[in-house]
């Protein structure tokens, strides 16, 4: 087993986002990474914050309900993107920004890449407008690392169906297979355009294999790997 030790001089927090289509396993992988970070790393003291989008604050959670219920669909992709941006601004101001300033690891289930992908999947929202809204919402903030959990859409949709059981599909799960195929292409396009930030992970692999790949990347990017028995610097 490998443990990680803090890089000398590492002071600021680290912002890691998880992206991908429906049923990709983002929530599971965030939970597993958070557990590892909380067990024997400097961030067990400095803090590990797990959050999600849309959501993360009372206001953003209300907007999440509006969006995922389909109530905002009548406004079109651009209208939905505006609601996502409003939720994101509140989320950054109240949760993400303060956590990063105190030096925590922030793990977020979806972020701005999802708006680019979902609202752009059918070409309904002008990419230039989406980028402009993103700049307004984020300011100078950007994820340090983004994991894109990739799998065929039909596999992800079946996982999502099993997960919700008898419940109804949400606004985006209910879209047709062609939409989800375009969504996958958008995420891979984002990853190809920003290789320094994005890591594509094969989400068809067993969860523990996916978790190990994520952990290895986190160690390589932010922390030094040491064998068991070493103490923290």
């Amino acid at each position: 087993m490998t443990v990680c030790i803090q890089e000398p001089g590492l002071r600021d927090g680290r912002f890691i986002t998880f992206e991908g289509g429906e049923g990709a396993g983002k929530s599971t992988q965030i939970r597993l990474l958070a557990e590892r970070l909380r067990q024997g790393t400097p961030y067990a003291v400095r803090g590990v914050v797990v959050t999600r989008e849309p959501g993360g604050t009372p206001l953003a959670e209300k907007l999440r309900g509006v969006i995922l219920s389909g109530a905002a669909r009548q406004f079109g992709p651009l209208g939905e993107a505006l609601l996502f941006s409003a939720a994101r601004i509140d989320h950054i101001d109240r949760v993400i920004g303060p956590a990063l300033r105190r030096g925590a690891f922030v793990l977020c289930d979806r972020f701005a890449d999802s708006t680019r992908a979902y609202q752009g999947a059918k070409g309904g929202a002008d990419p230039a407008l989406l980028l402009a809204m993103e700049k307004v919402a984020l300011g100078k903030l950007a994820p340090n690392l983004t994991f894109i959990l990739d799998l065929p859409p039909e596999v992800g949709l079946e996982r999502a169906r099993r997960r919700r059981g008898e419940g109804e599909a949400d606004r985006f799960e209910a879209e047709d297979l062609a939409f989800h195929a375009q969504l996958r292409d958008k995420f891979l396009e984002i990853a190809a355009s920003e290789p320094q930030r994005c890591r594509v992970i094969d989400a068809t692999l067993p969860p523990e294999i996916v978790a190990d790949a994520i952990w290895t990347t986190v160690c390589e990017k932010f922390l030094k790997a040491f064998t068991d028995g070493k103490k923290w610097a």
Side-chain angles (χ1 to χ4, degrees):
M1 177 181 174
T2 298
V3 297
C4 297
I5 192 163
Q6 185 181 14
E7 286 277 17
L10 182 59
R11 296 178 181 276
D12 298 330
R14 292 295 182 265
F15 185 26
I16 304 177
T17 58
F18 288 70
E19 301 283 7
E22 306 301 325
K26 298 182 304 302
S27 298
T28 296
Q29 293 305 323
I30 288 173
R31 175 178 57 79
L32 293 173
L33 177 58
E35 288 174 359
R36 276 176 152 164
L37 287 168
R38 287 169 177 152
Q39 294 173 2
T41 77
Y43 291 91
V45 175
R46 297 172 66 183
V48 179
V49 175
V50 173
T51 189
R52 68 177 183 177
E53 288 212 346
T57 70
L59 173 60
E61 290 291 337
K62 289 180 181 179
L63 290 174
R64 178 187 181 89
V66 171
I67 295 167
L68 296 187
S69 71
R73 188 172 187 173
Q74 61 184 314
F75 302 123
L78 186 57
E80 287 181 325
L82 285 167
L83 290 177
F84 277 116
S85 293
R88 184 163 297 130
I89 289 168
D90 192 58
H91 192 201
I92 291 169
D93 287 347
R94 297 179 181 275
V95 175
I96 297 173
L100 292 175
R101 285 192 291 273
R102 67 175 180 265
F105 250 106
V106 178
L107 312 180
C108 191
D109 185 341
R110 299 200 183 282
F111 196 59
D113 292 321
S114 276
T115 302
R116 292 191 208 175
Y118 276 81
Q119 276 59 62
K122 284 189 174 179
D126 183 342
L129 286 176
L130 291 178
L131 182 59
M133 283 191 288
E134 182 179 312
K135 288 181 177 180
V136 170
L138 271 61
K140 294 182 179 180
L141 177 67
N144 299 105
L145 176 63
T146 296
F147 290 107
I148 295 178
L149 303 185
D150 177 59
L151 78 173
E154 57 272 21
V155 175
L157 289 171
E158 176 57 23
R159 287 183 181 177
R161 186 195 64 76
R162 292 198 305 267
R163 179 185 61 204
R164 69 174 180 270
E166 298 299 319
E168 292 186 5
D170 69 26
R171 156 75 179 89
F172 299 108
E173 287 177 1
E175 288 281 0
D176 60 25
L177 186 60
F179 172 88
H180 290 281
Q182 290 173 319
L183 181 64
R184 183 189 191 188
D185 290 342
K186 284 286 184 180
F187 278 123
L188 294 176
E189 180 183 307
I190 290 168
S193 68
E194 298 187 54
Q196 295 302 312
R197 172 173 69 89
C198 299
R199 299 289 187 278
V200 178
I201 304 289
D202 182 355
T204 65
L205 296 171
E208 61 273 17
I209 302 299
V210 174
D212 285 345
I214 288 170
W215 182 239
T216 296
T217 300
V218 169
C219 287
E220 289 174 349
K221 190 168 180 68
F222 303 124
L223 305 159
K224 284 185 177 179
F226 277 70
T227 58
D228 281 341
K230 296 282 186 177
K231 292 187 177 181
W232 297 107

